[in-house]
Amino acid sequence: EQEINAFTPANAADLEQYRIRFLGAKGIVKALAGEMKNVPAEERKEAGIMLNAFRQLAEAHYERYAHMGNAGKESDRKGDISLPGYPMPAGTRHPLRMVENEIVSIFEKLGFSVATGPEIEDDWHNFTSLNMPEHHTARDMQDTFYVQQNPDLVLRTHTSSVQARILETQPLPVRVICPGRVYRNETISARAHCFFHQCEGLYVDKNVSFADLKQTLYHFVTEMFGPDTKVRFRPSYFPFTEPSAEMDISCTVCGGNGCNLCKHSGWVEILGCGMVHPELLRNFDIDPEVYSGFAFGMGVERITQIKFQVNDLRLYSQNDVRFLRQFSSV
Ligand code: PHE
Protein backbone atom coordinates (compact mmCIF):
# COMPACT_ATOMS: atom_id res chain seq x y z
CA GLU A 1 0.00 0.00 0.00
CA GLN A 2 2.84 2.33 0.81
CA GLU A 3 4.35 1.72 -2.57
CA ILE A 4 1.06 2.50 -4.27
CA ASN A 5 0.48 5.69 -2.35
CA ALA A 6 4.00 6.85 -3.02
CA PHE A 7 3.78 6.18 -6.75
CA THR A 8 3.43 9.16 -9.06
CA PRO A 9 3.96 8.39 -12.74
CA ALA A 10 6.08 10.82 -14.71
CA ASN A 11 4.65 9.64 -18.04
CA ALA A 12 2.46 7.06 -19.71
CA ALA A 13 5.26 4.46 -19.72
CA ASP A 14 5.64 4.78 -15.95
CA LEU A 15 1.93 4.29 -15.54
CA GLU A 16 1.98 1.21 -17.74
CA GLN A 17 4.79 -0.26 -15.61
CA TYR A 18 2.61 0.33 -12.58
CA ARG A 19 -0.38 -1.34 -14.20
CA ILE A 20 1.66 -4.39 -15.13
CA ARG A 21 3.18 -4.63 -11.65
CA PHE A 22 -0.06 -4.37 -9.70
CA LEU A 23 -2.98 -5.03 -12.02
CA GLY A 24 -1.54 -7.08 -14.88
CA ALA A 25 -2.25 -10.76 -15.61
CA LYS A 26 0.95 -11.63 -13.72
CA GLY A 27 0.63 -8.72 -11.32
CA ILE A 28 0.53 -8.59 -7.54
CA VAL A 29 -3.27 -8.50 -7.23
CA LYS A 30 -3.67 -11.61 -9.39
CA ALA A 31 -0.86 -13.35 -7.50
CA LEU A 32 -2.45 -12.61 -4.14
CA ALA A 33 -5.81 -13.86 -5.40
CA GLY A 34 -4.08 -17.08 -6.43
CA GLU A 35 -2.79 -17.47 -2.87
CA MET A 36 -6.32 -17.39 -1.45
CA LYS A 37 -6.69 -21.15 -1.78
CA ASN A 38 -3.79 -21.60 0.67
CA VAL A 39 -5.42 -19.43 3.33
CA PRO A 40 -7.07 -21.51 6.11
CA ALA A 41 -10.87 -21.50 5.73
CA GLU A 42 -11.55 -19.58 8.94
CA GLU A 43 -9.27 -16.72 7.85
CA ARG A 44 -10.36 -16.66 4.26
CA LYS A 45 -13.19 -14.19 4.72
CA GLU A 46 -10.97 -11.61 6.34
CA ALA A 47 -8.20 -12.16 3.81
CA GLY A 48 -10.75 -11.69 1.02
CA ILE A 49 -11.84 -8.35 2.45
CA MET A 50 -8.24 -7.20 2.70
CA LEU A 51 -7.43 -8.27 -0.81
CA ASN A 52 -10.49 -6.49 -2.13
CA ALA A 53 -9.53 -3.27 -0.40
CA PHE A 54 -6.02 -3.59 -1.78
CA ARG A 55 -7.28 -4.16 -5.30
CA GLN A 56 -9.57 -1.14 -5.06
CA LEU A 57 -6.69 1.01 -3.87
CA ALA A 58 -4.47 -0.16 -6.71
CA GLU A 59 -7.24 0.47 -9.26
CA ALA A 60 -8.23 3.84 -7.87
CA HIS A 61 -4.64 4.96 -7.97
CA TYR A 62 -4.39 3.82 -11.57
CA GLU A 63 -7.62 5.59 -12.51
CA ARG A 64 -6.26 8.74 -11.00
CA TYR A 65 -3.51 8.91 -13.62
CA ALA A 66 -5.30 7.03 -16.37
CA HIS A 67 -5.66 10.18 -18.45
CA MET A 68 -1.88 10.09 -18.95
CA GLY A 69 -2.18 6.90 -20.91
CA ASN A 70 -4.47 8.69 -23.33
CA ALA A 71 -2.33 11.74 -23.78
CA GLY A 72 -2.78 13.00 -27.27
CA LYS A 73 -6.26 11.63 -27.74
CA GLU A 74 -8.22 14.75 -26.94
CA SER A 75 -11.60 13.03 -26.88
CA ASP A 76 -10.52 10.45 -24.30
CA ARG A 77 -8.90 12.92 -21.99
CA LYS A 78 -12.02 14.69 -20.95
CA GLY A 79 -12.83 12.20 -18.21
CA ASP A 80 -16.11 11.56 -16.49
CA ILE A 81 -17.20 14.81 -14.89
CA SER A 82 -19.81 13.02 -12.81
CA LEU A 83 -17.10 11.27 -10.75
CA PRO A 84 -16.59 12.67 -7.27
CA GLY A 85 -13.47 14.83 -6.94
CA TYR A 86 -10.38 13.81 -5.03
CA PRO A 87 -10.58 14.95 -1.44
CA MET A 88 -8.74 18.20 -0.80
CA PRO A 89 -8.37 18.57 2.95
CA ALA A 90 -8.75 22.17 4.09
CA GLY A 91 -5.66 23.71 5.64
CA THR A 92 -5.60 24.96 9.19
CA ARG A 93 -4.84 28.38 10.59
CA HIS A 94 -1.38 28.73 12.06
CA PRO A 95 -1.53 28.67 15.88
CA LEU A 96 0.28 32.01 16.11
CA ARG A 97 -2.24 33.61 13.79
CA MET A 98 -5.13 32.16 15.78
CA VAL A 99 -3.75 33.59 18.99
CA GLU A 100 -2.92 36.93 17.38
CA ASN A 101 -6.51 37.14 16.07
CA GLU A 102 -7.82 36.42 19.54
CA ILE A 103 -5.62 39.06 21.18
CA VAL A 104 -6.66 41.64 18.59
CA SER A 105 -10.34 40.85 18.92
CA ILE A 106 -10.29 41.23 22.72
CA PHE A 107 -8.81 44.71 22.36
CA GLU A 108 -11.06 45.64 19.44
CA LYS A 109 -14.04 45.08 21.71
CA LEU A 110 -12.51 47.66 24.07
CA GLY A 111 -12.37 50.22 21.27
CA PHE A 112 -8.78 49.67 20.11
CA SER A 113 -8.17 49.78 16.38
CA VAL A 114 -5.53 47.76 14.56
CA ALA A 115 -2.38 49.49 13.28
CA THR A 116 0.58 48.02 11.46
CA GLY A 117 3.96 49.33 10.34
CA PRO A 118 6.96 48.29 8.25
CA GLU A 119 9.27 45.47 9.32
CA ILE A 120 12.27 47.34 7.91
CA GLU A 121 12.36 50.37 10.14
CA ASP A 122 14.55 53.43 10.52
CA ASP A 123 16.52 54.23 13.62
CA TRP A 124 14.21 57.07 14.60
CA HIS A 125 11.04 54.96 14.84
CA ASN A 126 12.66 51.85 16.29
CA PHE A 127 14.97 53.53 18.79
CA THR A 128 15.65 57.26 18.98
CA SER A 129 12.09 58.59 19.18
CA LEU A 130 11.35 55.96 21.82
CA ASN A 131 13.86 57.47 24.16
CA MET A 132 16.66 55.11 23.13
CA PRO A 133 19.24 57.53 21.68
CA GLU A 134 22.44 56.31 20.07
CA HIS A 135 24.79 54.72 22.64
CA HIS A 136 21.92 54.24 25.10
CA THR A 137 22.62 50.98 26.91
CA ALA A 138 19.00 49.87 26.46
CA ARG A 139 19.78 49.23 22.80
CA ASP A 140 21.86 46.30 23.97
CA MET A 141 18.72 44.68 25.36
CA GLN A 142 17.69 44.05 21.77
CA ASP A 143 20.25 42.42 19.49
CA THR A 144 19.64 44.25 16.28
CA PHE A 145 19.87 43.20 12.63
CA TYR A 146 21.07 46.10 10.49
CA VAL A 147 20.11 46.25 6.84
CA GLN A 148 23.06 46.14 4.43
CA GLN A 149 25.50 47.97 6.65
CA ASN A 150 23.23 50.99 6.70
CA PRO A 151 23.16 51.96 10.36
CA ASP A 152 19.94 53.89 9.84
CA LEU A 153 17.90 50.87 8.71
CA VAL A 154 17.09 47.93 10.98
CA LEU A 155 14.77 44.96 11.02
CA ARG A 156 12.48 46.26 13.74
CA THR A 157 13.33 44.79 17.13
CA HIS A 158 9.88 45.43 18.59
CA THR A 159 6.43 46.61 17.53
CA SER A 160 6.92 49.74 19.65
CA SER A 161 8.08 51.30 16.37
CA VAL A 162 4.41 51.35 15.34
CA GLN A 163 3.67 53.35 18.50
CA ALA A 164 6.06 55.98 17.21
CA ARG A 165 4.44 56.04 13.78
CA ILE A 166 0.96 56.36 15.27
CA LEU A 167 1.92 59.23 17.59
CA GLU A 168 3.56 60.94 14.64
CA THR A 169 0.54 60.80 12.36
CA GLN A 170 -2.73 60.26 14.23
CA PRO A 171 -4.70 62.94 16.02
CA LEU A 172 -5.29 62.29 19.74
CA PRO A 173 -6.81 60.42 21.44
CA VAL A 174 -5.33 57.18 20.09
CA ARG A 175 -6.13 53.66 21.10
CA VAL A 176 -4.38 51.07 18.93
CA ILE A 177 -3.25 47.47 19.00
CA CYS A 178 -0.28 46.70 16.73
CA PRO A 179 0.44 43.06 15.87
CA GLY A 180 3.48 42.12 13.84
CA ARG A 181 6.74 40.28 13.32
CA VAL A 182 9.95 41.46 14.96
CA TYR A 183 13.59 40.41 14.57
CA ARG A 184 16.51 39.94 16.92
CA ASN A 185 19.96 38.58 16.27
CA GLU A 186 19.78 35.57 18.54
CA THR A 187 20.96 32.02 18.14
CA ILE A 188 18.01 29.81 17.31
CA SER A 189 17.06 27.38 20.06
CA ALA A 190 13.94 26.05 21.75
CA ARG A 191 13.70 29.31 23.72
CA ALA A 192 14.97 31.97 21.31
CA HIS A 193 14.50 32.68 17.62
CA CYS A 194 15.76 35.31 15.21
CA PHE A 195 12.19 36.39 14.56
CA PHE A 196 9.03 36.28 16.62
CA HIS A 197 5.73 38.12 16.95
CA GLN A 198 4.52 40.84 19.25
CA CYS A 199 1.33 42.73 19.93
CA GLU A 200 1.81 46.27 21.11
CA GLY A 201 -0.94 48.31 22.72
CA LEU A 202 -1.04 52.09 23.03
CA TYR A 203 -3.61 54.40 24.57
CA VAL A 204 -3.02 58.15 24.81
CA ASP A 205 -5.69 60.59 25.97
CA LYS A 206 -6.33 63.09 28.74
CA ASN A 207 -6.29 61.54 32.23
CA VAL A 208 -5.11 58.05 31.33
CA SER A 209 -3.78 56.48 34.53
CA PHE A 210 -1.90 53.40 35.67
CA ALA A 211 -5.23 52.13 37.03
CA ASP A 212 -6.57 52.15 33.46
CA LEU A 213 -3.55 50.15 32.34
CA LYS A 214 -4.02 47.57 35.07
CA GLN A 215 -7.73 47.16 34.49
CA THR A 216 -7.33 46.88 30.72
CA LEU A 217 -4.68 44.19 31.02
CA TYR A 218 -6.61 42.39 33.72
CA HIS A 219 -9.62 42.29 31.43
CA PHE A 220 -7.41 40.96 28.64
CA VAL A 221 -6.04 38.02 30.63
CA THR A 222 -9.38 36.95 32.00
CA GLU A 223 -10.78 36.94 28.44
CA MET A 224 -7.74 35.08 27.14
CA PHE A 225 -7.06 32.61 29.95
CA GLY A 226 -10.32 32.42 31.91
CA PRO A 227 -11.97 34.33 34.77
CA ASP A 228 -9.87 32.78 37.54
CA THR A 229 -6.59 34.09 36.18
CA LYS A 230 -4.70 36.33 38.59
CA VAL A 231 -2.23 39.05 37.66
CA ARG A 232 0.85 40.42 39.35
CA PHE A 233 2.88 43.49 38.38
CA ARG A 234 6.63 43.73 39.03
CA PRO A 235 8.55 47.00 38.68
CA SER A 236 10.76 46.96 35.60
CA TYR A 237 12.59 49.24 33.20
CA PHE A 238 11.89 50.26 29.62
CA PRO A 239 13.27 53.50 28.16
CA PHE A 240 9.90 54.40 26.65
CA THR A 241 7.73 54.03 29.75
CA GLU A 242 7.86 55.46 33.26
CA PRO A 243 6.97 53.84 35.54
CA SER A 244 7.47 50.47 33.85
CA ALA A 245 6.32 47.04 34.89
CA GLU A 246 6.28 43.44 33.81
CA MET A 247 3.08 41.53 34.26
CA ASP A 248 2.81 37.91 35.35
CA ILE A 249 -0.28 35.75 35.32
CA SER A 250 -1.05 32.85 37.60
CA CYS A 251 0.04 29.70 35.77
CA THR A 252 -2.98 28.35 33.92
CA VAL A 253 -1.18 25.14 32.99
CA CYS A 254 -0.63 23.73 36.50
CA GLY A 255 -3.04 25.98 38.40
CA GLY A 256 -0.18 26.95 40.70
CA ASN A 257 0.74 23.39 41.61
CA GLY A 258 4.08 23.58 39.88
CA CYS A 259 5.08 22.83 36.30
CA ASN A 260 7.92 23.52 33.91
CA LEU A 261 6.24 26.52 32.33
CA CYS A 262 6.12 28.52 35.57
CA LYS A 263 9.24 26.80 36.88
CA HIS A 264 7.25 25.78 39.93
CA SER A 265 6.69 29.39 40.95
CA GLY A 266 3.01 29.48 40.02
CA TRP A 267 3.56 32.63 37.87
CA VAL A 268 4.43 33.22 34.20
CA GLU A 269 5.59 36.50 32.75
CA ILE A 270 3.57 37.58 29.73
CA LEU A 271 4.25 41.21 28.93
CA GLY A 272 6.03 44.50 29.53
CA CYS A 273 4.10 47.71 30.09
CA GLY A 274 4.07 51.17 31.62
CA MET A 275 3.00 54.78 31.32
CA VAL A 276 4.27 56.42 28.13
CA HIS A 277 7.41 58.39 29.02
CA PRO A 278 6.83 62.19 28.96
CA GLU A 279 9.99 62.60 26.92
CA LEU A 280 8.53 60.36 24.24
CA LEU A 281 5.33 62.41 24.10
CA ARG A 282 7.45 65.55 23.69
CA ASN A 283 9.27 63.90 20.77
CA PHE A 284 5.91 63.94 18.99
CA ASP A 285 4.88 67.45 20.08
CA ILE A 286 2.39 66.16 22.59
CA ASP A 287 2.22 68.09 25.85
CA PRO A 288 2.71 65.63 28.75
CA GLU A 289 1.01 68.14 31.06
CA VAL A 290 -2.20 67.65 29.10
CA TYR A 291 -1.96 64.10 27.80
CA SER A 292 -0.86 60.83 29.31
CA GLY A 293 -0.94 57.26 28.07
CA PHE A 294 -0.07 53.68 28.64
CA ALA A 295 1.65 51.13 26.44
CA PHE A 296 2.24 47.43 26.64
CA GLY A 297 3.91 44.81 24.49
CA MET A 298 3.51 41.06 24.55
CA GLY A 299 5.04 38.14 22.69
CA VAL A 300 2.50 36.11 20.72
CA GLU A 301 4.68 32.96 20.91
CA ARG A 302 4.60 33.23 24.69
CA ILE A 303 0.83 33.53 24.89
CA THR A 304 0.52 30.60 22.48
CA GLN A 305 2.93 28.58 24.58
CA ILE A 306 0.76 29.11 27.64
CA LYS A 307 -2.47 28.41 25.80
CA PHE A 308 -1.34 25.33 23.88
CA GLN A 309 1.77 24.25 25.78
CA VAL A 310 4.04 24.51 22.78
CA ASN A 311 7.45 24.54 24.41
CA ASP A 312 9.80 24.74 21.43
CA LEU A 313 9.82 28.00 19.45
CA ARG A 314 11.25 26.28 16.38
CA LEU A 315 8.04 24.30 15.83
CA TYR A 316 6.24 27.47 14.77
CA SER A 317 8.35 27.99 11.67
CA GLN A 318 9.22 24.45 10.59
CA ASN A 319 5.94 23.98 8.71
CA ASP A 320 5.65 20.39 9.89
CA VAL A 321 2.06 19.47 9.10
CA ARG A 322 2.00 16.97 11.97
CA PHE A 323 2.40 19.96 14.29
CA LEU A 324 0.12 22.34 12.38
CA ARG A 325 -2.74 19.81 12.04
CA GLN A 326 -3.03 19.52 15.79
CA PHE A 327 -4.71 22.91 15.77
CA SER A 328 -7.34 22.03 13.17
CA SER A 329 -10.10 21.58 15.73
CA VAL A 330 -9.28 24.65 17.82
N1 PHE B 1 8.94 46.87 23.43
C1 PHE B 1 9.15 46.12 24.65
C2 PHE B 1 9.94 44.85 24.30
O1 PHE B 1 10.01 44.49 23.14
C3 PHE B 1 7.84 45.73 25.31
C4 PHE B 1 7.09 46.94 25.82
C5 PHE B 1 6.16 47.59 25.02
C6 PHE B 1 7.29 47.40 27.10
C7 PHE B 1 5.46 48.69 25.48
C8 PHE B 1 6.61 48.48 27.57
C9 PHE B 1 5.70 49.12 26.78
O2 PHE B 1 10.53 44.22 25.13
Side-chain angles (χ1 to χ4, degrees):
E1 284 181 13
Q2 268 174 15
E3 186 185 333
I4 291 176
N5 286 326
F7 170 78
T8 333
N11 50 40
D14 260 9
L15 184 67
E16 183 58 8
Q17 286 292 324
Y18 168 92
R19 192 191 62 75
I20 293 168
R21 177 160 164 70
F22 287 100
L23 302 166
K26 292 184 179 153
I28 293 175
V29 170
K30 276 268 154 48
L32 287 172
E35 290 294 318
M36 284 302 275
K37 61 181 184 304
N38 301 327
V39 176
E42 64 274 19
E43 289 171 23
R44 202 165 290 156
K45 185 171 170 209
E46 205 179 324
I49 293 171
M50 276 166 66
L51 176 61
N52 222 10
F54 180 72
R55 183 176 49 78
Q56 278 170 8
L57 177 76
E59 284 174 358
H61 205 73
Y62 179 74
E63 288 299 321
R64 183 167 186 182
Y65 298 105
H67 59 89
M68 285 184 136
N70 297 326
K73 277 207 272 162
E74 188 62 35
S75 55
D76 290 347
R77 236 191 308 161
K78 290 203 177 107
D80 181 353
I81 58 164
S82 67
L83 285 173
Y86 294 105
M88 287 261 260
T92 59
R93 247 188 246 290
H94 194 281
L96 290 176
R97 179 68 78 192
M98 290 194 300
V99 169
E100 182 188 287
N101 287 350
E102 197 172 337
I103 297 170
V104 165
S105 98
I106 293 170
F107 285 103
E108 275 180 336
K109 286 181 194 137
L110 293 177
F112 284 71
S113 45
V114 179
T116 54
E119 291 180 17
I120 298 175
E121 194 45 285
D122 54 36
D123 183 283
W124 169 253
H125 293 100
N126 196 80
F127 292 126
T128 307
S129 70
L130 299 173
N131 217 13
M132 299 167 88
E134 212 185 335
H135 307 307
H136 193 295
T137 47
R139 288 192 180 204
D140 296 341
M141 290 160 70
Q142 306 183 343
D143 300 291
T144 309
F145 282 119
Y146 288 87
V147 176
Q148 288 192 334
Q149 319 275 309
N150 178 347
D152 191 45
L153 286 184
V154 302
L155 295 184
R156 68 177 173 195
T157 57
H158 51 185
T159 41
S160 302
S161 56
V162 188
Q163 240 194 82
R165 288 184 172 272
I166 291 294
L167 290 177
E168 196 172 63
T169 54
Q170 307 271 307
L172 296 178
V174 292
R175 193 154 44 183
V176 289
I177 182 93
C178 321
R181 185 174 283 186
V182 302
Y183 300 83
R184 295 190 194 175
N185 190 358
E186 301 209 29
T187 311
I188 296 171
S189 72
R191 302 176 53 83
H193 210 292
C194 58
F195 65 79
F196 55 100
H197 300 78
Q198 290 190 329
C199 261
E200 182 98 358
L202 172 71
Y203 176 33
V204 179
D205 199 351
K206 291 178 177 143
N207 301 318
V208 177
S209 70
F210 200 89
D212 297 323
L213 168 63
K214 279 175 90 169
Q215 193 56 37
T216 304
L217 293 178
Y218 181 63
H219 172 79
F220 164 69
V221 297
T222 51
E223 287 288 301
M224 192 78 191
F225 297 107
D228 299 330
T229 319
K230 297 185 189 60
V231 297
R232 163 174 107 167
F233 288 81
R234 285 177 290 104
S236 184
Y237 172 76
F238 298 103
F240 25 89
T241 47
E242 181 60 35
S244 303
E246 275 162 299
M247 190 177 86
D248 300 339
I249 61 167
S250 52
C251 185
T252 51
V253 171
C254 63
N257 295 323
C259 68
N260 276 342
L261 182 67
C262 65
K263 308 222 170 51
H264 299 269
S265 71
W267 295 96
V268 254
E269 184 201 320
I270 62 161
L271 55 81
C273 60
M275 302 305 292
V276 180
H277 199 294
E279 200 52 43
L280 195 150
L281 294 175
R282 273 189 219 106
N283 283 342
F284 297 102
D285 295 326
I286 298 165
D287 184 353
E289 302 291 329
V290 182
Y291 285 98
S292 56
F294 65 68
F296 56 87
M298 66 184 96
V300 181
E301 278 78 355
R302 190 79 219 235
I303 308 284
T304 313
Q305 179 187 12
I306 301 168
K307 250 190 125 66
F308 299 125
Q309 286 140 60
V310 177
N311 52 18
D312 189 330
L313 279 175
R314 291 167 295 196
L315 286 166
Y316 293 124
S317 48
Q318 280 165 341
N319 282 342
D320 185 333
V321 289
R322 290 169 303 178
F323 170 71
L324 298 172
R325 283 204 184 118
Q326 291 180 57
F327 300 90
S328 59
S329 59
V330 179

